[in-house]
Amino acid sequence: MNLHHLEHFLALVETGSFSRASEALHLTQPALSRSIQMLEQELGVRLIDRIGKRNELTPFGVLVAERARKIVSDSVDLKHTAQLLVQGDGGTVRLGLGSAPNAMFAGPLLSYMLRDYPHVGIHLSTGSPEAQLAALRERTFDALLVHSRAIAPQEDLHVQLLGSVQSGFLCRRGHPLSKRRKVEFADLMQYPVVGTMLSDEISRELVQRFGPDAHPAHLLRASSDSVAALIETVLTTDAVFFGVIATARAWLNSGDISVVPLDLPEAASAQYAFITLEGRTQSPVLETVRQFCFDLALGESKQSPVSR
């Protein structure tokens, strides 16, 4: 069976018009008509009823269109697989990240890839989970790195969990809370708290430990998807940041900010997931990216929040 005939048939199905399909395929209408007729002859069934100026799929046409989409998709994947084998450690990796994973992983990952894999293109993008999932399915992204609860499990997704990383409260150097050996929740509430939006799990843990005032509706004075913007606010005001401690690693290492010594529940942590399409061949270098992210998350999970 000629793959081009199936592609021509699908173009006609999607456009609903011989003229529009011909234009999209850069074929003449007579050439497209012959291609559809040859497919019908090969299958031995009529695929399209031509009713006046309208073209309607026959019951056989509906079934063939469904099967043809899978065949064409598999052929595209086969070509992609062959390209990956030729590329080896080359090519390009496109990764979609959530806001917190972007703050934690983007800098170290870019440095690692540019240093150790200089011939690999690496493109990182942020956005809403819905938009990123759509981009993954459209092959705009090769993988997603998001909070494990951001995207519900689905049959076409392959989800690999990374290690849990601890959350905490952070303040600037010289902040009144930074001089305390131990801080109570009431002390913390004397200052504005900022952060990214909190997951339901962490919200429940905070309310259970500290009471209703720890609910995000009361706790967060300001929120943003940009961790860098939140940290900048902390550096220039008395605001306290709440979020994944590892997202502020550079500022912690420089001593510009420190962890507020408030006793938090162990469950106040975040777990990230590396998501790809199930059953799809991935480039060898994408596995390198996944392993780096896994190792980074594992290293952060082993660090003591107090020692940070």
Side-chain angles (χ1 to χ4, degrees), residues 51 82 113 161 171 213 266 290:
I51 305 174
M113 294 300 294
L161 297 178
C171 64
D213 285 343
E266 291 185 6
R290 187 205 66 80

Side-chain angles (χ1 to χ4, degrees), residues 139-162:
R139 307 292 187 85
T140 305
F141 289 156
D142 299 301
L144 305 181
L145 180 53
V146 296
H147 193 284
S148 60
R149 299 291 185 180
I151 294 177
Q154 299 179 45
E155 289 185 358
D156 64 335
L157 302 180
H158 181 66
V159 179
Q160 296 172 290
L161 297 178
L162 307 183

Side-chain angles (χ1 to χ4, degrees), residues 44-154:
V45 294
R46 191 172 187 81
L47 302 177
I48 296 173
D49 285 329
R50 298 163 180 79
I51 305 174
K53 296 184 178 181
R54 293 186 296 110
N55 301 293
E56 293 185 0
L57 289 178
T58 67
F60 297 109
V62 173
L63 177 62
V64 170
E66 182 179 341
R67 297 290 297 274
R69 289 189 183 97
K70 185 177 187 309
I71 293 171
V72 171
S73 176
D74 286 344
S75 72
V76 171
D77 191 55
L78 180 60
K79 293 177 183 177
H80 181 58
T81 300
Q83 291 171 353
L84 296 178
L85 293 174
V86 171
Q87 289 172 356
D89 286 340
T92 300
V93 174
R94 295 176 175 82
L95 188 63
L97 300 103
S99 56
N102 182 62
M104 176 177 169
F105 292 93
L109 177 59
L110 288 174
S111 297
Y112 170 69
M113 294 300 294
L114 291 174
R115 182 184 66 247
D116 292 6
Y117 294 88
H119 300 297
V120 174
I122 178 82
H123 299 285
L124 310 180
S125 302
T126 59
S128 69
E130 296 79 12
Q132 292 189 327
L133 182 56
L136 177 66
R137 286 175 168 146
E138 293 169 0
R139 307 292 187 85
T140 305
F141 289 156
D142 299 301
L144 305 181
L145 180 53
V146 296
H147 193 284
S148 60
R149 299 291 185 180
I151 294 177
Q154 299 179 45

